[in-house]
Amino acid sequence: MTAQFPVARQRRLRRTSALRRMVAETRLHPADLMLPLFVKEGITEAQPVASMPGVVQHTRETLRKAAHEAVEAGVGGLVLFGVPVVKDGRGSAADDPAGIVQKSLRDLSADLGDTAVLTADLCLDEYTDHGHCGILTPAGEVDNDATLQRYAAIAVAQAAAGADVVAPSGMMDGQVAAIRTALDQAGYGNVAIMAYTAKYASAFYGPFRDAAECAPQFGDRAAYQQDPPNAEEALREVRLDLDEGADVIMVKPAMPYLDIVRRARDMVDVPVAAYQVSGEYAMIEAAAANGWIDRERVITESLIGIRRAGADIILTYWATEVARRLRTPS
Ligand code: PBG
């Protein structure tokens, strides 16, 4: 017969919500959340993104309002994506001082000062007519080194416009080193790099490509983004980005890659960010719209899961909503 006592009483500390709150190992805090925002040139009203209910392409004015609301809610940072009117082979608008992101960075930097971390996504896909993240060779492949020169110029333009952080998302080899050198030489040694270090060639980016109008016109991004089956390769990317001077490393998408978030967190001593991407957002919104899941609980659980896996910072389209909820617990 098995002894009845002592019994491990796992349930004692689960009995009331106060007990559960006291012993919670993982907490969400508004300051750990970053809000991605889209700003589109040449529109007079914000445009809804059909595949991301609740997300819009902003005008410069509505962007300022959304940024203000995020900061009021205590959101830690904003990540800006630009959608230009004119696209070309080299993505000229990306580093144009009069380009939409540069103008918006100036707006937000003046409005917000140091109240939130102003971050600029640094890539070419929103700016190229072919929709790839870099300059193409005549054969239609992305030319790594020609692309690095463009990234360096974009980083300097974004820093000059007031970005605290630049976030290279193109997965070119050597991008962090090229950007660090360019920033330092231009006198922007204080601007940090949040590197999209382990960015997978993911089908979860589908809705984002509507929002940023950047679907590749031919082919896909599998030749530069990471292959979903690979984890060791992600850790190699982490080591390289740290060597090159990344200040924050990022794993993207978040939920299908929580093992990578955990392994990266265990490996490095810099902050680890995870990007809960457009497809993760859209799936939850769609299921909730159908009444199939409890929207708020699923959102919170998804974010807690990402934190528990080891993310210090989470990029999420729900940042403002969740930050507000955290401030006024129901
Ligand atoms: C590339 C970029 C992408 C995302 C962020 N930066 C898209 C891609 O690589 O195709 C995806 C973000 C999301 O899906 O929410 N500039």
Side-chain angles (χ1 to χ4, degrees):
M1 215 180 95
T2 41
Q4 288 194 334
F5 301 100
V7 180
R9 284 287 183 183
Q10 295 300 323
R11 290 176 47 191
R12 256 180 228 129
L13 296 179
R14 296 178 194 149
R15 193 171 52 85
T16 68
S17 60
L19 281 162
R20 291 192 294 274
R21 186 179 59 194
M22 188 177 72
V23 301
E25 297 171 30
T26 309
R27 294 180 205 279
L28 288 173
H29 191 279
D32 302 329
L33 304 177
M34 296 186 85
L35 175 67
L37 289 160
F38 303 101
V39 59
K40 183 168 173 171
E41 194 174 25
I43 53 171
T44 51
E45 265 175 59
Q47 313 276 325
V49 178
S51 51
M52 300 177 75
V55 173
V56 301
Q57 294 176 320
H58 283 288
T59 67
R60 271 172 75 186
E61 275 315 305
T62 66
L63 178 79
R64 295 172 70 177
K65 185 158 172 282
H68 187 75
E69 286 167 3
V71 172
E72 287 270 274
V75 165
L78 309 171
V79 185
L80 230 55
F81 293 90
V83 187
V85 170
V86 179
K87 305 188 182 209
D88 60 20
R90 59 189 294 280
S92 304
D95 59 327
D96 181 349
I100 183 67
V101 161
Q102 276 68 250
K103 282 182 174 162
S104 300
L105 285 169
R106 284 195 195 89
D107 291 341
L108 298 188
S109 148
D111 286 357
L112 307 176
D114 283 342
T115 55
V117 177
L118 197 49
T119 303
D121 182 81
L122 196 170
C123 200
L124 278 170
D125 58 333
E126 299 101 308
Y127 300 93
T128 50
D129 48 13
H130 46 72
H132 278 285
C133 298
I135 302 293
L136 299 183
T137 64
E141 286 180 358
V142 174
D143 181 335
N144 197 87
D145 296 358
T147 302
L148 292 186
Q149 290 182 20
R150 297 289 298 125
Y151 285 5
I154 300 168
V156 171
Q158 293 176 336
D164 298 308
V165 179
V166 297
S169 63
M171 290 298 281
M172 294 303 124
D173 290 338
Q175 62 183 13
V176 173
I179 290 167
R180 184 72 271 155
T181 304
L183 287 172
D184 291 351
Q185 283 175 355
Y188 298 110
N190 288 337
V191 171
I193 300 177
M194 179 166 81
Y196 288 67
T197 297
K199 178 176 178 182
Y200 284 87
S202 172
F204 285 92
Y205 307 147
F208 172 94
R209 293 178 186 173
D210 294 341
E213 301 177 16
C214 64
Q217 297 305 300
F218 64 91
D220 57 31
R221 306 205 206 291
Y224 41 104
Q225 299 181 347
Q226 274 190 230
D227 202 22
N230 298 352
E232 302 306 329
E233 187 186 338
L235 301 184
R236 197 152 66 233
E237 292 279 5
V238 169
R239 279 189 291 273
L240 286 169
D241 276 5
L242 287 180
D243 284 351
E244 291 179 29
D247 299 288
V248 179
I249 60 158
M250 195 202 295
V251 175
K252 177 184 173 187
M255 281 177 59
Y257 299 94
L258 293 180
D259 58 324
I260 311 297
V261 173
R262 167 49 55 197
R263 293 181 68 181
R265 177 61 285 160
D266 288 346
M267 190 170 115
V268 303
D269 54 8
V270 298
V272 174
Y275 197 145
Q276 183 181 51
V277 303
S278 57
E280 300 177 71
Y281 175 91
M283 283 195 307
I284 292 175
E285 288 289 353
N290 277 295
W292 294 337
I293 55 173
D294 179 331
R295 181 178 176 280
E296 289 195 4
R297 285 188 56 205
V298 169
I299 291 172
T300 304
E301 191 175 329
S302 70
L303 294 170
I304 274 286
I306 297 165
R307 284 279 285 145
R308 198 189 56 245
D312 305 291
I313 299 165
I314 305 176
L315 288 77
T316 172
Y317 299 98
W318 289 303
T320 304
E321 174 184 330
V322 171
R324 280 189 186 136
R325 212 187 302 146
L326 290 169
R327 294 205 143 182
T328 47
S330 50

